[in-house]
Coordinates of all heavy atoms in Angstrom, one line a residue:
D50 N -180.8 2.1 253.8 CA -180.5 1.2 254.9 C -179.6 0.2 254.5 O -179.5 -0.3 253.3 CB -181.9 0.6 255.4 CG -181.8 0.2 256.8 OD1 -181.0 -0.7 257.1 OD2 -182.6 0.8 257.7
L51 N -178.8 -0.3 255.6 CA -177.9 -1.4 255.5 C -178.7 -2.6 255.0 O -178.2 -3.4 254.1 CB -177.4 -1.7 256.8 CG -176.0 -2.4 257.0 CD1 -174.9 -1.9 256.2 CD2 -175.7 -2.5 258.5
D52 N -179.9 -2.7 255.4 CA -180.8 -3.8 255.0 C -181.6 -3.4 253.8 O -182.5 -2.7 253.8 CB -181.7 -4.1 256.2 CG -182.8 -5.0 255.8 OD1 -182.7 -5.6 254.7 OD2 -183.8 -5.2 256.6
E53 N -181.0 -3.9 252.5 CA -181.5 -3.4 251.2 C -183.0 -3.9 251.1 O -183.8 -3.2 250.7 CB -180.7 -4.0 250.1 CG -181.1 -3.5 248.7 CD -180.2 -3.8 247.7 OE1 -179.2 -4.6 247.9 OE2 -180.5 -3.5 246.5
A54 N -183.2 -5.1 251.5 CA -184.6 -5.6 251.3 C -185.6 -4.8 252.2 O -186.6 -4.5 251.7 CB -184.7 -7.1 251.8
G55 N -185.1 -4.5 253.5 CA -186.0 -3.7 254.3 C -186.2 -2.3 253.8 O -187.3 -1.7 253.8
A56 N -185.1 -1.7 253.1 CA -185.3 -0.4 252.5 C -186.3 -0.3 251.4 O -187.2 0.6 251.3 CB -183.9 0.1 252.0
K57 N -186.2 -1.5 250.5 CA -187.1 -1.5 249.4 C -188.6 -1.7 249.9 O -189.5 -1.1 249.3 CB -186.7 -2.6 248.4 CG -185.4 -2.3 247.8 CD -185.2 -3.1 246.6 CE -183.8 -2.8 245.9 NZ -183.6 -1.4 245.6
E58 N -188.7 -2.5 250.8 CA -190.0 -2.9 251.3 C -190.6 -1.7 252.0 O -191.9 -1.3 251.8 CB -189.9 -4.1 252.4 CG -191.3 -4.6 252.7 CD -191.8 -4.1 254.1 OE1 -191.0 -3.9 255.0 OE2 -193.0 -3.9 254.2
S59 N -189.8 -0.9 252.7 CA -190.3 0.4 253.4 C -190.7 1.5 252.4 O -191.8 2.0 252.4 CB -189.1 0.8 254.2 OG -189.5 2.1 254.8
A60 N -189.9 1.5 251.3 CA -190.2 2.5 250.3 C -191.5 2.1 249.5 O -192.4 3.0 249.2 CB -189.0 2.5 249.3
D61 N -191.6 0.8 249.2 CA -193.0 0.4 248.6 C -194.1 0.7 249.4 O -195.2 1.1 248.9 CB -192.9 -1.2 248.4 CG -191.9 -1.5 247.2 OD1 -191.4 -0.6 246.5 OD2 -191.6 -2.8 247.2
Q62 N -193.9 0.4 250.7 CA -195.1 0.7 251.7 C -195.4 2.2 251.6 O -196.6 2.6 251.6 CB -194.7 0.2 253.0 CG -195.7 0.1 254.0 CD -195.2 -0.2 255.4 OE1 -194.5 0.6 256.1 NE2 -195.5 -1.4 255.9
V63 N -194.4 3.0 251.7 CA -194.6 4.5 251.7 C -195.3 4.9 250.4 O -196.3 5.8 250.5 CB -193.3 5.3 251.9 CG1 -193.3 6.7 251.6 CG2 -192.8 5.0 253.4
A64 N -194.8 4.5 249.3 CA -195.4 4.9 248.1 C -196.8 4.4 247.9 O -197.7 5.2 247.5 CB -194.5 4.3 246.8
H65 N -197.1 3.2 248.3 CA -198.4 2.6 248.3 C -199.4 3.4 249.1 O -200.5 3.8 248.8 CB -198.4 1.2 248.6 CG -199.7 0.5 248.6 ND1 -200.3 0.2 247.4 CD2 -200.5 0.1 249.6 CE1 -201.5 -0.4 247.7 NE2 -201.6 -0.4 248.9
R66 N -198.9 3.7 250.4 CA -199.9 4.4 251.3 C -200.1 5.9 251.0 O -201.2 6.4 251.3 CB -199.3 4.2 252.8 CG -200.4 4.2 253.8 CD -199.8 3.8 255.1 NE -199.4 2.6 255.4 CZ -198.9 2.0 256.5 NH1 -198.5 2.9 257.4 NH2 -198.6 0.8 256.6
H67 N -199.1 6.5 250.5 CA -199.1 8.0 250.4 C -199.2 8.6 249.0 O -199.4 9.8 248.8 CB -198.0 8.7 251.2 CG -198.0 8.3 252.6 ND1 -198.8 8.6 253.6 CD2 -197.2 7.3 253.2 CE1 -198.5 8.1 254.8 NE2 -197.5 7.1 254.5
G68 N -199.0 7.7 248.1 CA -199.0 8.1 246.7 C -197.9 9.1 246.3 O -198.0 9.9 245.3
V69 N -196.7 9.0 247.0 CA -195.5 9.8 246.5 C -194.6 8.9 245.9 O -194.7 7.6 245.9 CB -195.0 10.4 247.8 CG1 -195.9 11.4 248.5 CG2 -194.5 9.4 248.8
Q70 N -193.5 9.4 245.4 CA -192.3 8.6 244.8 C -191.5 8.2 246.0 O -191.3 9.0 246.9 CB -191.5 9.5 243.9 CG -192.3 9.9 242.5 CD -191.2 10.7 241.7 OE1 -190.2 10.2 241.4 NE2 -191.6 12.0 241.4
A71 N -191.1 7.0 246.0 CA -190.4 6.4 247.1 C -189.3 5.5 246.6 O -189.5 4.6 245.8 CB -191.1 5.9 248.3
F72 N -188.1 5.7 247.0 CA -186.9 4.9 246.5 C -186.4 4.2 247.7 O -186.0 4.8 248.7 CB -185.8 5.9 245.9 CG -186.4 6.8 244.8 CD1 -187.1 7.9 245.1 CD2 -186.3 6.4 243.5 CE1 -187.7 8.8 244.2 CE2 -186.9 7.2 242.5 CZ -187.5 8.4 242.8
G73 N -186.2 2.9 247.6 CA -185.5 2.1 248.7 C -184.2 1.6 248.3 O -184.0 1.0 247.3
L74 N -183.0 2.0 248.9 CA -181.7 1.7 248.5 C -180.9 1.1 249.6 O -180.9 1.6 250.8 CB -181.0 2.9 248.0 CG -181.6 3.7 246.9 CD1 -180.8 5.1 246.7 CD2 -181.6 3.0 245.6
G75 N -180.2 0.0 249.3 CA -179.2 -0.5 250.2 C -178.1 0.5 250.2 O -177.5 0.9 249.3
C76 N -177.7 0.8 251.6 CA -176.5 1.7 251.7 C -176.0 1.6 253.1 O -176.7 1.6 254.1 CB -177.1 3.2 251.5 SG -175.9 4.5 251.9
D77 N -174.6 1.5 253.1 CA -174.0 1.5 254.4 C -173.4 2.8 254.7 O -172.5 3.3 254.0 CB -172.9 0.4 254.4 CG -172.1 0.4 255.7 OD1 -172.3 1.2 256.6 OD2 -171.2 -0.5 255.8
V78 N -174.0 3.6 255.7 CA -173.7 5.0 255.8 C -172.1 5.1 256.2 O -171.6 6.1 256.2 CB -174.5 5.8 256.8 CG1 -175.9 5.9 256.2 CG2 -174.5 5.2 258.1
T79 N -171.5 4.1 256.8 CA -170.1 4.1 257.2 C -169.1 4.1 256.1 O -168.0 4.3 256.2 CB -169.8 3.0 258.2 OG1 -169.7 1.7 257.5 CG2 -170.8 2.9 259.4
D80 N -169.7 3.7 254.9 CA -168.9 3.5 253.8 C -169.1 4.6 252.7 O -170.2 4.7 252.1 CB -169.2 2.0 253.1 CG -168.4 1.7 251.8 OD1 -167.8 2.6 251.3 OD2 -168.7 0.7 251.3
E81 N -168.2 5.5 252.5 CA -168.3 6.6 251.7 C -168.7 6.2 250.2 O -169.5 7.0 249.6 CB -167.0 7.4 251.6 CG -166.8 8.2 252.8 CD -165.7 9.3 252.7 OE1 -164.5 9.0 252.9 OE2 -166.0 10.5 252.3
S82 N -168.1 5.2 249.7 CA -168.4 4.8 248.3 C -169.9 4.3 248.2 O -170.6 4.6 247.2 CB -167.5 3.8 247.8 OG -167.5 2.6 248.5
S83 N -170.4 3.7 249.3 CA -171.8 3.2 249.2 C -172.7 4.5 249.3 O -173.8 4.5 248.6 CB -171.9 2.3 250.6 OG -173.3 2.0 250.7
V84 N -172.4 5.4 250.1 CA -173.2 6.7 250.2 C -173.1 7.4 248.9 O -174.2 7.8 248.4 CB -172.7 7.6 251.4 CG1 -173.3 9.0 251.3 CG2 -172.9 6.9 252.8
K85 N -172.0 7.5 248.3 CA -171.8 8.1 247.0 C -172.7 7.6 246.0 O -173.3 8.2 245.2 CB -170.3 8.0 246.6 CG -169.7 9.3 246.3 CD -168.2 9.2 246.1 CE -167.7 9.9 245.0 NZ -166.2 9.8 244.8

Side-chain angles (χ1 to χ4, degrees):
D50 203 294
L51 199 52
D52 170 8
E53 184 174 4
K57 290 195 183 310
E58 193 264 320
S59 177
D61 287 349
Q62 193 184 69
V63 165
H65 180 73
R66 207 176 285 175
H67 307 281
V69 299
Q70 296 180 56
F72 306 83
L74 302 172
C76 174
D77 179 354
V78 294
T79 69
D80 175 356
E81 285 196 270
S82 59
S83 173
V84 170
K85 232 170 139 177

